[in-house]
Amino acid sequence: MAVEGGGGNLSDLYSGSKRLALKVRDSLERLERLEYTSSSSSSLSSSNAVVAGSSDDQATAIRRDINQIQSLCSDMDRLWRSIPSKPQRDLWKRKVEQVSEEAESFRASLDKYLSRHQKRIQEAQERAELLGRASGDSHVLKIFDEEAQAMESVRRSSRLLEESFATGVAILSKYSEQRDHLKRAQRKALDVLNTLGLSNTLLRLIERRNRVDKWIKYAGMILTVIIVIIFWRWTR
């Protein structure tokens, strides 16, 4: 369905808006990466001030693209309403609404970035003024970088403390389990020793009985031989 309008047909306008949306999304991601890099870099000098100016230029270009997407949405909104087929009209309505919502989301993300950016600059300037050592943009950026490093150091220290605490808890738990295992093993060993003590007593009784039975057997054999000899002599 290609509905003609003053700026082109609906499909062309929709394709153009999607291309712009992809461009804006990529630009926002690059801007956020640049923000993270600027915040976590080890040193902020005059070259970083150039980066900050570049980020402002990118933000301006992004806002211009968002405005263009919203302008295309206005054109598409006018065009889809003139579609005679209700199913097609509903389909294009959803598509245009999605593009419009995406543009609003882009604008909100950009506004949040600009707010954070402005807040960082203002805080750095206020700190520089309080310290009485403001010497231009490079000095302001240096102060901001030092604070970022300090915050990162605090986060690392906190993370190390949490890991150390968790390791200590795990070791104590392991020791507690081993102590329980040792107690159970000790009880089993005592039971075995008690059982062995009873078995040794029985073995000694059995050995004594075997020796008695052996002497009785030998005595019976000797007695039998004597009786046989006596009987043999008697019968001669």
Side-chain angles (χ1 to χ4, degrees), residues 205-226:
L205 290 175
I206 292 172
E207 289 176 356
R208 190 180 299 114
R209 179 61 183 270
N210 287 336
R211 286 196 296 270
V212 173
D213 291 343
K214 187 186 296 182
W215 286 112
I216 292 174
K217 180 178 66 176
Y218 289 158
M221 291 173 63
I222 294 171
L223 181 61
T224 301
V225 170
I226 293 174

mmCIF file of all heavy atoms in Angstrom, residues 205-226:
data_model
loop_
_atom_site.group_PDB
_atom_site.id
_atom_site.type_symbol
_atom_site.label_atom_id
_atom_site.label_comp_id
_atom_site.label_asym_id
_atom_site.label_seq_id
_atom_site.Cartn_x
_atom_site.Cartn_y
_atom_site.Cartn_z
ATOM 1 N N LEU A 205 37.789 -66.793 73.954
ATOM 2 C CA LEU A 205 36.979 -67.916 74.454
ATOM 3 C C LEU A 205 36.965 -69.069 73.459
ATOM 4 O O LEU A 205 37.073 -70.248 73.839
ATOM 5 C CB LEU A 205 35.556 -67.432 74.736
ATOM 6 C CG LEU A 205 35.382 -66.486 75.940
ATOM 7 C CD1 LEU A 205 33.941 -65.989 76.010
ATOM 8 C CD2 LEU A 205 35.748 -67.195 77.250
ATOM 9 N N ILE A 206 36.856 -68.727 72.174
ATOM 10 C CA ILE A 206 36.819 -69.768 71.141
ATOM 11 C C ILE A 206 38.156 -70.504 71.070
ATOM 12 O O ILE A 206 38.206 -71.748 70.960
ATOM 13 C CB ILE A 206 36.460 -69.140 69.785
ATOM 14 C CG1 ILE A 206 35.003 -68.642 69.812
ATOM 15 C CG2 ILE A 206 36.647 -70.141 68.654
ATOM 16 C CD1 ILE A 206 34.618 -67.834 68.601
ATOM 17 N N GLU A 207 39.267 -69.723 71.146
ATOM 18 C CA GLU A 207 40.579 -70.370 71.111
ATOM 19 C C GLU A 207 40.775 -71.285 72.306
ATOM 20 O O GLU A 207 41.326 -72.393 72.180
ATOM 21 C CB GLU A 207 41.666 -69.284 71.080
ATOM 22 C CG GLU A 207 41.732 -68.530 69.748
ATOM 23 C CD GLU A 207 42.741 -67.408 69.792
ATOM 24 O OE1 GLU A 207 43.318 -67.184 70.880
ATOM 25 O OE2 GLU A 207 42.949 -66.759 68.750
ATOM 26 N N ARG A 208 40.332 -70.822 73.477
ATOM 27 C CA ARG A 208 40.459 -71.683 74.670
ATOM 28 C C ARG A 208 39.644 -72.966 74.514
ATOM 29 O O ARG A 208 40.103 -74.069 74.857
ATOM 30 C CB ARG A 208 40.013 -70.884 75.899
ATOM 31 C CG ARG A 208 40.332 -71.606 77.231
ATOM 32 C CD ARG A 208 39.872 -70.779 78.432
ATOM 33 N NE ARG A 208 40.545 -69.492 78.472
ATOM 34 C CZ ARG A 208 39.918 -68.332 78.300
ATOM 35 N NH1 ARG A 208 38.616 -68.326 78.072
ATOM 36 N NH2 ARG A 208 40.571 -67.212 78.356
ATOM 37 N N ARG A 209 38.457 -72.832 73.961
ATOM 38 C CA ARG A 209 37.608 -74.009 73.771
ATOM 39 C C ARG A 209 38.220 -74.959 72.736
ATOM 40 O O ARG A 209 38.167 -76.192 72.890
ATOM 41 C CB ARG A 209 36.225 -73.559 73.312
ATOM 42 C CG ARG A 209 35.256 -74.721 73.069
ATOM 43 C CD ARG A 209 35.026 -75.532 74.350
ATOM 44 N NE ARG A 209 34.153 -76.672 74.088
ATOM 45 C CZ ARG A 209 32.832 -76.588 74.204
ATOM 46 N NH1 ARG A 209 32.265 -75.438 74.579
ATOM 47 N NH2 ARG A 209 32.083 -77.640 73.962
ATOM 48 N N ASN A 210 38.852 -74.382 71.699
ATOM 49 C CA ASN A 210 39.499 -75.227 70.691
ATOM 50 C C ASN A 210 40.656 -76.020 71.284
ATOM 51 O O ASN A 210 40.859 -77.206 70.944
ATOM 52 C CB ASN A 210 40.007 -74.361 69.532
ATOM 53 C CG ASN A 210 38.865 -73.860 68.664
ATOM 54 O OD1 ASN A 210 37.797 -74.467 68.636
ATOM 55 N ND2 ASN A 210 39.096 -72.755 67.964
ATOM 56 N N ARG A 211 41.418 -75.355 72.168
ATOM 57 C CA ARG A 211 42.534 -76.083 72.799
ATOM 58 C C ARG A 211 42.031 -77.225 73.679
ATOM 59 O O ARG A 211 42.578 -78.353 73.670
ATOM 60 C CB ARG A 211 43.376 -75.120 73.633
ATOM 61 C CG ARG A 211 44.250 -74.184 72.796
ATOM 62 C CD ARG A 211 45.327 -73.539 73.669
ATOM 63 N NE ARG A 211 44.737 -72.681 74.688
ATOM 64 C CZ ARG A 211 44.484 -71.382 74.500
ATOM 65 N NH1 ARG A 211 44.728 -70.804 73.336
ATOM 66 N NH2 ARG A 211 43.972 -70.676 75.479
ATOM 67 N N VAL A 212 40.952 -76.992 74.417
ATOM 68 C CA VAL A 212 40.372 -78.050 75.275
ATOM 69 C C VAL A 212 39.871 -79.208 74.415
ATOM 70 O O VAL A 212 40.109 -80.398 74.712
ATOM 71 C CB VAL A 212 39.244 -77.474 76.146
ATOM 72 C CG1 VAL A 212 38.527 -78.605 76.894
ATOM 73 C CG2 VAL A 212 39.819 -76.466 77.143
ATOM 74 N N ASP A 213 39.176 -78.846 73.313
ATOM 75 C CA ASP A 213 38.664 -79.901 72.431
ATOM 76 C C ASP A 213 39.806 -80.698 71.811
ATOM 77 O O ASP A 213 39.694 -81.931 71.615
ATOM 78 C CB ASP A 213 37.809 -79.275 71.326
ATOM 79 C CG ASP A 213 36.510 -78.692 71.870
ATOM 80 O OD1 ASP A 213 36.134 -79.043 73.009
ATOM 81 O OD2 ASP A 213 35.883 -77.859 71.159
ATOM 82 N N LYS A 214 40.912 -80.000 71.503
ATOM 83 C CA LYS A 214 42.056 -80.696 70.898
ATOM 84 C C LYS A 214 42.655 -81.708 71.877
ATOM 85 O O LYS A 214 42.967 -82.851 71.505
ATOM 86 C CB LYS A 214 43.095 -79.662 70.488
ATOM 87 C CG LYS A 214 44.269 -80.257 69.697
ATOM 88 C CD LYS A 214 45.338 -79.206 69.444
ATOM 89 C CE LYS A 214 44.775 -78.089 68.565
ATOM 90 N NZ LYS A 214 45.817 -77.074 68.269
ATOM 91 N N TRP A 215 42.814 -81.318 73.149
ATOM 92 C CA TRP A 215 43.372 -82.237 74.142
ATOM 93 C C TRP A 215 42.428 -83.410 74.391
ATOM 94 O O TRP A 215 42.879 -84.561 74.562
ATOM 95 C CB TRP A 215 43.658 -81.517 75.461
ATOM 96 C CG TRP A 215 44.860 -80.633 75.407
ATOM 97 C CD1 TRP A 215 44.897 -79.291 75.468
ATOM 98 C CD2 TRP A 215 46.196 -81.067 75.238
ATOM 99 N NE1 TRP A 215 46.159 -78.810 75.357
ATOM 100 C CE2 TRP A 215 47.019 -79.912 75.218
ATOM 101 C CE3 TRP A 215 46.823 -82.321 75.108
ATOM 102 C CZ2 TRP A 215 48.392 -79.962 75.072
ATOM 103 C CZ3 TRP A 215 48.201 -82.343 74.983
ATOM 104 C CH2 TRP A 215 48.978 -81.191 74.938
ATOM 105 N N ILE A 216 41.140 -83.117 74.378
ATOM 106 C CA ILE A 216 40.177 -84.208 74.552
ATOM 107 C C ILE A 216 40.286 -85.179 73.379
ATOM 108 O O ILE A 216 40.229 -86.406 73.540
ATOM 109 C CB ILE A 216 38.754 -83.639 74.665
ATOM 110 C CG1 ILE A 216 38.604 -82.844 75.983
ATOM 111 C CG2 ILE A 216 37.719 -84.752 74.595
ATOM 112 C CD1 ILE A 216 37.274 -82.130 76.121
ATOM 113 N N LYS A 217 40.458 -84.645 72.159
ATOM 114 C CA LYS A 217 40.570 -85.511 70.981
ATOM 115 C C LYS A 217 41.819 -86.369 71.063
ATOM 116 O O LYS A 217 41.787 -87.586 70.819
ATOM 117 C CB LYS A 217 40.590 -84.647 69.730
ATOM 118 C CG LYS A 217 40.711 -85.452 68.445
ATOM 119 C CD LYS A 217 40.680 -84.543 67.236
ATOM 120 C CE LYS A 217 41.936 -83.661 67.227
ATOM 121 N NZ LYS A 217 41.994 -82.818 65.998
ATOM 122 N N TYR A 218 42.958 -85.730 71.431
ATOM 123 C CA TYR A 218 44.195 -86.502 71.537
ATOM 124 C C TYR A 218 44.095 -87.559 72.627
ATOM 125 O O TYR A 218 44.559 -88.718 72.464
ATOM 126 C CB TYR A 218 45.370 -85.555 71.838
ATOM 127 C CG TYR A 218 45.750 -84.677 70.664
ATOM 128 C CD1 TYR A 218 46.441 -83.479 70.858
ATOM 129 C CD2 TYR A 218 45.440 -85.061 69.368
ATOM 130 C CE1 TYR A 218 46.792 -82.677 69.788
ATOM 131 C CE2 TYR A 218 45.791 -84.258 68.287
ATOM 132 C CZ TYR A 218 46.460 -83.073 68.502
ATOM 133 O OH TYR A 218 46.816 -82.292 67.443
ATOM 134 N N ALA A 219 43.497 -87.204 73.750
ATOM 135 C CA ALA A 219 43.338 -88.175 74.856
ATOM 136 C C ALA A 219 42.465 -89.333 74.424
ATOM 137 O O ALA A 219 42.731 -90.525 74.745
ATOM 138 C CB ALA A 219 42.751 -87.473 76.078
ATOM 139 N N GLY A 220 41.424 -89.064 73.694
ATOM 140 C CA GLY A 220 40.548 -90.131 73.208
ATOM 141 C C GLY A 220 41.278 -91.049 72.237
ATOM 142 O O GLY A 220 41.093 -92.286 72.265
ATOM 143 N N MET A 221 42.136 -90.468 71.358
ATOM 144 C CA MET A 221 42.884 -91.293 70.406
ATOM 145 C C MET A 221 43.859 -92.210 71.140
ATOM 146 O O MET A 221 43.983 -93.418 70.825
ATOM 147 C CB MET A 221 43.637 -90.364 69.427
ATOM 148 C CG MET A 221 42.712 -89.608 68.483
ATOM 149 S SD MET A 221 43.601 -88.395 67.491
ATOM 150 C CE MET A 221 44.682 -89.484 66.570
ATOM 151 N N ILE A 222 44.564 -91.630 72.143
ATOM 152 C CA ILE A 222 45.521 -92.454 72.910
ATOM 153 C C ILE A 222 44.803 -93.567 73.659
ATOM 154 O O ILE A 222 45.253 -94.731 73.685
ATOM 155 C CB ILE A 222 46.322 -91.562 73.871
ATOM 156 C CG1 ILE A 222 47.211 -90.595 73.069
ATOM 157 C CG2 ILE A 222 47.164 -92.402 74.833
ATOM 158 C CD1 ILE A 222 47.878 -89.546 73.920
ATOM 159 N N LEU A 223 43.687 -93.214 74.260
ATOM 160 C CA LEU A 223 42.920 -94.215 75.009
ATOM 161 C C LEU A 223 42.431 -95.308 74.089
ATOM 162 O O LEU A 223 42.453 -96.514 74.438
ATOM 163 C CB LEU A 223 41.742 -93.523 75.711
ATOM 164 C CG LEU A 223 40.852 -94.440 76.572
ATOM 165 C CD1 LEU A 223 41.669 -95.088 77.713
ATOM 166 C CD2 LEU A 223 39.680 -93.644 77.149
ATOM 167 N N THR A 224 42.030 -94.945 72.918
ATOM 168 C CA THR A 224 41.557 -95.946 71.956
ATOM 169 C C THR A 224 42.680 -96.888 71.547
ATOM 170 O O THR A 224 42.503 -98.122 71.448
ATOM 171 C CB THR A 224 40.979 -95.234 70.720
ATOM 172 O OG1 THR A 224 39.902 -94.377 71.128
ATOM 173 C CG2 THR A 224 40.470 -96.243 69.713
ATOM 174 N N VAL A 225 43.870 -96.326 71.301
ATOM 175 C CA VAL A 225 45.023 -97.163 70.924
ATOM 176 C C VAL A 225 45.370 -98.139 72.044
ATOM 177 O O VAL A 225 45.665 -99.333 71.811
ATOM 178 C CB VAL A 225 46.228 -96.265 70.573
ATOM 179 C CG1 VAL A 225 47.500 -97.113 70.415
ATOM 180 C CG2 VAL A 225 45.963 -95.479 69.305
ATOM 181 N N ILE A 226 45.362 -97.642 73.279
ATOM 182 C CA ILE A 226 45.682 -98.510 74.428
ATOM 183 C C ILE A 226 44.671 -99.646 74.532
ATOM 184 O O ILE A 226 45.033 -100.820 74.758
ATOM 185 C CB ILE A 226 45.715 -97.668 75.714
ATOM 186 C CG1 ILE A 226 46.901 -96.681 75.669
ATOM 187 C CG2 ILE A 226 45.817 -98.572 76.944
ATOM 188 C CD1 ILE A 226 46.926 -95.703 76.827
#
